[in-house]
């Protein structure tokens, strides 16, 4: 079946297309070159005056895994107040801060998102995470396996093992967990928390292993780079949320020593200690460092005001924040000595000095980092805000008058300490298409996503151009997934299965001779059972799409 999307204004940064009037042709789920004149077209969509982009990609959103399920179970009130009823095309669902799996997929697609990536899969819990993501309809998905607090890696580092052995272990984990990248959360800190350390800075040794976060970070940065994994090491740095943590963040950036590094939810790591309250914005210093280091990319983790729930592998931070829970309940858990998690409900308030300044810090980073290819639109869903706030965030970035109006409603002391009101920059539609489509696809190695060139998967979104960008991005006219119309005017009209994106770097299979006795002695799961096969991933979550590793 040949489909023609006729006469839309196309924004396709991967090919340098900036608002040009073009026709797009789709056949068998792929974008194809214009056919020969006279070729019959089965279906035509007249898109005159419409905006056309590739499907949006969220590279950091907590949508699957143990802590997300805990958050869903912890907040029944969130699900009672936000219900979604069954239709002819969809199942029922619920939840705002952490929507149910079905509601998550539907709401993402209704906003024009066609791929979402879970950034924190504990390897021993990978089956459950994939099963949950597989229950999330329509969108493509994938995940990043968490390392850096697992006993096996910390033992390797303590014993001074060769980097090649570490590389083999990292590659084995990617194969075993069917993941797309590697994430480190508070390097060594989650493990240190279990030995009664309540903080762990970059060069502070672990009480048990004697290993520093810098050593963990550098070993994993090198492993990911040398294996050719397209996505750089995804780093949740030490000291999240701590005033003055800008120094740790800058030191973490420098610790990469020029190798690719992705700093995630960097807003939470951009705090100074100036002012009477000893809490200030260090966004300018972070943006300056990112601008000066082309090896570094960041996603922001913007906070938005209202009720949400924070769910993080950073047990150390969540324990510290538990006193601020709203409502007053929280939990923490350990997972097989590999990692942990903490879940703390929270309400961000615009009249609260700290929350208001956090909001401003995130916007400062967005507006001061010059290259939209290296800064990504996230709220660290649900930690900073639910993903459904993305259209509002886009309006803040594109409309400085609206941004200033919002700023005027905040805590006055926070406004006085922020530079947001003085920043003139407004994002263009082309830049929004970069940071939400082309750049995420490029950094993740998704060669056939995030663009509208021939051969790309036909993930296409059509918008009515409206000066209120929040309205525009909230409910696209059409969303196509793999060439099938799945949403019209912000409502699901068809449900399709998504795919699972993975990488499989080469490694020495001899690593299993080291791992097998370790599993036998220390784990409750055998090494063979730990691994997820292709047949199993198809049953759990969908057809795997294997992306090539880079030659370095």
């Amino acid at each position: 079946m040949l489909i023609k999307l006729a006469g839309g204004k196309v924004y396709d940064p991967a090919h340098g297309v900036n608002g040009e009037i073009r026709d797009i042709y789709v056949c068998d789920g792929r974008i194809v070159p214009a056919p020969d004149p006279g070729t019959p077209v089965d279906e035509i969509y007249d898109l005159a005056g419409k905006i056309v982009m590739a499907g949006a990609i969220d590279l950091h959103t907590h949508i699957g895994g143990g802590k997300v399920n805990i958050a869903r179970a912890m907040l029944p009130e969130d699900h009672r107040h936000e219900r979604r009823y069954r239709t002819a095309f969809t199942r029922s669902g619920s939840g705002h801060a952490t929507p149910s799996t079905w509601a998550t997929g539907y709401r993402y697609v209704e906003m024009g998102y066609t791929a979402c990536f879970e950034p924190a899969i504990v390897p021993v819990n990978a089956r459950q995470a994939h099963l949950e993501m597989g229950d999330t309809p329509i969108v493509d998905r994938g995940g990043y396996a968490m390392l850096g607090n697992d006993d096996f890696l910390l033992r390797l580092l303590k014993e001074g093992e060769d980097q090649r052995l570490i590389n083999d272990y990292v590659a084995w984990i990617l194969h075993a967990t069917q993941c797309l990248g590697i994430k480190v959360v508070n390097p060594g800190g989650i493990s240190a928390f279990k030995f009664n350390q309540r903080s762990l800075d970059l060069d502070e040794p672990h009480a048990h292993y004697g290993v520093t976060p810098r050593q963990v970070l550098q070993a994993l940065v090198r492993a990911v780079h040398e294996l050719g994994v397209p996505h750089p090491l995804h780093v949740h740095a030490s000291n999240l949320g701590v005033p003055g943590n800008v120094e740790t963040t800058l030191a973490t950036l420098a610790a990469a020593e020029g190798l690719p590094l992705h700093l995630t939810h960097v807003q939470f790591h951009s705090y100074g200690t100036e002012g009477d309250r000893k809490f200030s914005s260090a966004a300018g210093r972070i943006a300056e460092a990112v601008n000066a280091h082309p090896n570094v990319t960041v996603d922001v983790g913007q906070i938005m005001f209202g009720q949400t729930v924070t769910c993080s592998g950073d047990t150390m931070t969540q324990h510290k924040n538990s006193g601020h829970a709203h409502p007053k309940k929280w939990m923490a858990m350990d997972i097989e000595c590999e990692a942990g998690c903490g879940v703390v409900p929270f309400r961000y308030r615009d009249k609260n000095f700290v929350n208001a300044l956090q909001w401003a810090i995130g916007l400062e980073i967005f507006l001061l980092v010059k290259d939209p290819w290296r800064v990504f639109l996230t709220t660290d869903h649900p930690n900073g805000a639910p993903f459904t706030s993305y259209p509002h965030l886009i309006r803040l970035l594109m409309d400085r008058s609206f941004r200033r109006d919002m700023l005027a409603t905040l805590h006055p002391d926070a406004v006085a300490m922020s530079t947001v009101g003085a920043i003139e920059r407004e994002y263009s539609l082309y830049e929004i298409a970069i940071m939400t489509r082309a750049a995420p696809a490029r950094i993740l190695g998704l060669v056939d996503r995030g663009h509208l060139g021939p051969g790309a998967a036909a993930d296409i979104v059509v918008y009515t151009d409206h000066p209120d960008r929040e309205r525009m991005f909230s409910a696209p006219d059409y969303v196509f997934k793999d060439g099938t119309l799945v949403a019209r005017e912000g409502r699901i009209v068809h449900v399709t299965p998504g795919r699972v994106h993975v990488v499989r770097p080469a490694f020495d299979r001899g690593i299993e001779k080291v791992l097998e006795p370790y599993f036998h002695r220390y784990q409750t799961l055998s090494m063979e059972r730990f691994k997820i096969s292709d047949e199993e991933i198809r049953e759990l979550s969908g057809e795997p799409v294997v992306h090539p590793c880079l030659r370095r």
Side-chain angles (χ1 to χ4, degrees):
M1 181 175 180
L2 183 63
I3 301 170
K4 179 180 180 180
L5 307 180
K9 186 182 287 187
V10 175
Y11 290 85
D12 183 14
H15 296 99
V17 179
N18 185 3
E20 298 177 19
I21 306 300
R22 292 195 172 192
D23 298 334
I24 295 174
Y25 292 88
V26 174
C27 186
D28 296 330
R30 294 276 165 178
I31 296 174
V32 297
D36 294 333
T39 302
V41 175
D42 299 287
E43 193 168 5
I44 299 176
Y45 291 83
D46 181 2
L47 304 186
K50 305 290 186 181
I51 303 294
V52 183
M53 297 182 182
I57 300 169
D58 193 343
L59 60 62
H60 186 110
T61 176
H62 295 284
I63 59 169
K67 63 183 177 298
V68 181
N69 248 356
I70 291 167
R72 288 168 175 148
M74 183 180 283
L75 293 173
E77 59 270 43
D78 181 60
H79 293 266
R80 282 196 299 269
H81 297 317
E82 188 84 13
R83 298 183 296 274
R84 183 185 183 106
Y85 295 101
R86 185 183 184 101
T87 72
F89 306 103
T90 65
R91 301 186 181 191
S92 58
S94 61
H96 173 69
T98 48
S100 62
T101 51
W102 294 331
T104 295
Y106 302 148
R107 287 172 181 165
Y108 259 118
V109 170
E110 287 168 350
M111 294 193 310
Y113 278 77
T114 54
C116 310
F117 293 88
E118 164 57 55
I121 292 181
V122 179
V124 75
N125 197 44
R127 270 184 182 80
Q128 189 269 340
H130 279 298
L131 185 61
E132 206 164 336
M133 289 190 291
D135 203 41
T136 304
I138 308 176
V139 293
D140 286 354
R141 51 256 173 190
Y144 318 143
M146 282 177 60
L147 292 177
N149 286 281
D150 52 304
D151 176 65
F152 188 81
L153 177 65
L154 293 173
R155 284 170 182 260
L156 293 182
L157 294 172
K158 178 182 179 180
E159 294 161 9
E161 293 288 356
D162 189 85
Q163 181 69 38
R164 287 173 294 182
L165 182 61
I166 294 171
N167 292 1
D168 288 337
Y169 172 57
V170 170
W172 185 87
I173 285 288
L174 284 168
H175 282 251
T177 60
Q178 298 275 5
C179 280
L180 186 68
I182 296 293
K183 166 87 171 289
V184 61
V185 175
N186 190 358
I190 302 171
S191 173
F193 181 77
K194 301 169 191 178
F195 293 87
N196 290 319
Q197 284 181 276
R198 291 298 178 256
S199 64
L200 194 68
D201 210 347
L202 192 64
D203 292 303
E204 185 178 353
H206 189 294
H208 178 71
Y209 297 96
V211 173
T212 68
R214 183 186 296 271
Q215 290 173 278
V216 175
L217 183 79
Q218 291 181 331
L220 290 175
V221 165
R222 279 191 61 189
V224 169
H225 179 72
E226 291 175 4
L227 290 169
V229 176
H231 187 45
L233 181 66
H234 202 89
V235 179
H236 166 138
S238 309
N239 294 328
L240 179 143
V242 177
N245 63 12
V246 60
E247 304 301 341
T248 301
T249 306
L250 293 174
T252 299
L253 184 155
E257 297 180 345
L259 294 179
L261 180 77
H262 182 83
L263 294 173
T264 191
H265 42 63
V266 73
Q267 178 276 134
F268 289 105
H269 303 272
S270 301
Y271 302 155
T273 56
E274 297 176 3
D276 295 340
R277 293 178 172 85
K278 303 302 180 184
F279 181 75
S280 60
S281 171
R285 293 181 64 190
I286 294 296
E288 182 180 8
V290 173
N291 290 336
H293 291 82
N295 63 304
V296 175
T297 54
V298 298
D299 65 75
V300 173
Q302 177 70 31
I303 77 138
M304 307 292 266
F305 303 117
Q307 180 67 48
T308 190
V309 56
T310 64
C311 50
S312 173
D314 196 340
T315 324
M316 185 180 280
T317 295
Q318 294 297 75
H319 173 264
K320 189 181 306 178
N321 290 337
S322 60
H324 302 294
H326 182 282
K328 293 292 183 182
K329 48 186 171 180
W330 80 287
M331 69 84 60
M333 68 175 294
D334 171 63
I335 304 171
E336 289 278 341
C337 295
E338 279 196 353
C341 75
V343 180
V344 181
F346 192 80
R347 179 183 291 276
Y348 292 100
R349 296 174 170 86
D350 57 357
K351 303 303 182 185
N352 176 282
F353 168 77
V354 171
N355 296 165
L357 193 52
Q358 288 177 301
W359 178 90
I361 289 168
L363 292 179
E364 287 173 349
I365 294 168
F366 273 120
L367 298 167
L368 294 174
V369 172
K370 296 177 182 178
D371 185 358
W373 287 93
R374 295 196 292 120
V375 59
F376 300 89
L377 189 141
T378 65
T379 59
D380 188 20
H381 165 80
N383 292 298
F387 65 82
T388 46
S389 63
Y390 286 170
H392 183 75
L393 176 53
I394 289 172
R395 185 180 180 190
L396 288 169
L397 297 177
M398 297 189 71
D399 186 342
R400 65 175 177 266
S401 294
F402 177 68
R403 191 163 65 229
R404 288 169 179 166
D405 289 344
M406 289 292 298
L407 187 67
T409 68
L410 306 187
H411 191 292
D413 291 351
V415 174
M417 294 190 70
S418 171
T419 64
V420 166
I423 301 175
E424 297 293 326
R425 182 179 178 185
E426 294 179 319
Y427 271 72
S428 66
L429 283 172
Y430 188 73
E431 289 175 315
I432 293 296
I434 291 173
M435 73 189 311
T436 60
R437 275 90 170 161
R442 185 171 77 175
I443 198 175
L444 293 173
L446 312 181
V447 294
D448 62 346
R449 302 299 194 276
H451 69 92
L452 299 172
D459 296 350
I460 305 169
V461 187
V462 179
Y463 302 95
T464 294
D465 193 357
H466 195 281
D468 181 343
R469 298 308 191 188
E470 182 173 356
R471 176 177 168 181
M472 171 180 164
F473 282 96
S474 293
D477 296 55
Y478 305 109
V479 180
F480 296 87
K481 182 73 186 76
D482 294 312
T484 298
L485 180 65
V486 292
R488 180 187 291 118
E489 296 179 353
R491 302 303 297 173
I492 300 297
V493 297
H494 192 78
V495 175
T496 62
R499 293 177 172 83
V500 185
H501 296 270
V502 302
V503 290
R504 294 176 181 169
F507 68 99
D508 183 351
R509 297 280 175 177
I511 185 68
E512 294 195 341
K513 295 179 181 178
V514 181
L515 283 166
E516 189 165 21
Y518 176 85
F519 270 86
H520 181 72
R521 181 172 182 181
Y522 295 109
Q523 296 282 23
T524 59
L525 202 63
S526 73
M527 185 187 73
E528 288 304 316
R529 184 61 183 144
F530 185 94
K531 296 186 287 187
I532 303 173
S533 68
D534 282 0
E535 293 75 18
E536 195 174 0
I537 198 69
R538 288 187 183 99
E539 181 180 351
L540 288 171
S541 194
E543 186 66 30
V545 179
V546 182
H547 294 280
C549 288
L550 307 174
R551 294 185 177 181
R552 288 170 171 149

